[in-house]
Every structure is written in structure tokens, then in C-alpha cells.
Amino acid sequence: IHTSLKNQVDIINLNRDLGKIYREQKNYPHALTYYAQLLTLSKKDNLTTDIASAYNNIGNVYRLQANYTKALENLQAALALKAQIEDA
């Protein structure tokens, strides 16, 4: 069980790292792909901090694309989750 959990965490971290690399290269579609995978995996394991991180990263990519509506939606989702984490 520990190995599978560690592998899952590694996969989550890899998706976050790949999303960041693509974002820095201004390859926003690929960045969004990896951040979406990060979000899906994090939701599957109910990892609230990682879910908030994924929404934050997705929101920042949309902001960089000047898609402010989607940026705001995702950043608000991240903020709401972070508030829940702090209240817990």
C-alpha cells in the first residue's frame, strides 16, 4: 500500500512539474493538460491541498492567456479550498 501511495504522489508531483515547465515555455495548452491531470488525480485521492494547487495553477495559465473569466473561476476555487484548509 505504501508503494502505491508513494507512486501516486510521485505521479501527482510529475504532473505539477510538467505543467510548470510547459507554462514557463509559454506552451499553455500542454500546461493545462498536465494541470488537469493533477486536478483529476488529486480529486481521486481527496488531496485538498493538491486540488487547491491545481486550481491555482490552472487559473494562472488562463490569466496568462488573458482568459480572465476562466482564470477567476479557478482562482476562486483555489481560494475557497485554501480557506477550508486553514479552518480545519
Side-chain angles (χ1 to χ4, degrees):
I1 293 174
H2 174 71
T3 302
S4 65
L5 178 60
K6 182 185 181 320
N7 288 344
Q8 190 69 11
V9 170
D10 288 343
I11 292 168
I12 287 170
N13 289 333
L14 285 170
N15 278 286
R16 181 182 298 109
D17 293 345
L18 287 167
K20 181 179 178 184
I21 290 167
Y22 281 116
R23 184 184 70 214
E24 289 173 354
Q25 293 176 343
K26 297 182 179 15
N27 187 335
Y28 301 131
H30 277 85
L32 287 172
T33 297
Y34 284 101
Y35 288 144
Q37 290 176 22
L38 166 64
L39 181 60
T40 299
L41 293 169
S42 298
K43 283 182 174 181
K44 178 183 167 202
D45 291 335
N46 200 28
L47 302 171
T48 309
T49 302
D50 290 319
I51 296 168
S53 173
Y55 279 127
N56 188 66
N57 288 324
I58 291 168
N60 284 328
V61 171
Y62 281 128
R63 181 183 53 80
L64 291 167
Q65 292 179 309
N67 188 337
Y68 300 116
T69 300
K70 286 189 175 185
L72 185 60
E73 290 171 9
N74 284 278
L75 292 170
Q76 285 177 330
L79 185 61
L81 285 170
K82 287 179 182 179
Q84 287 177 9
I85 294 166
E86 289 176 7
D87 288 343

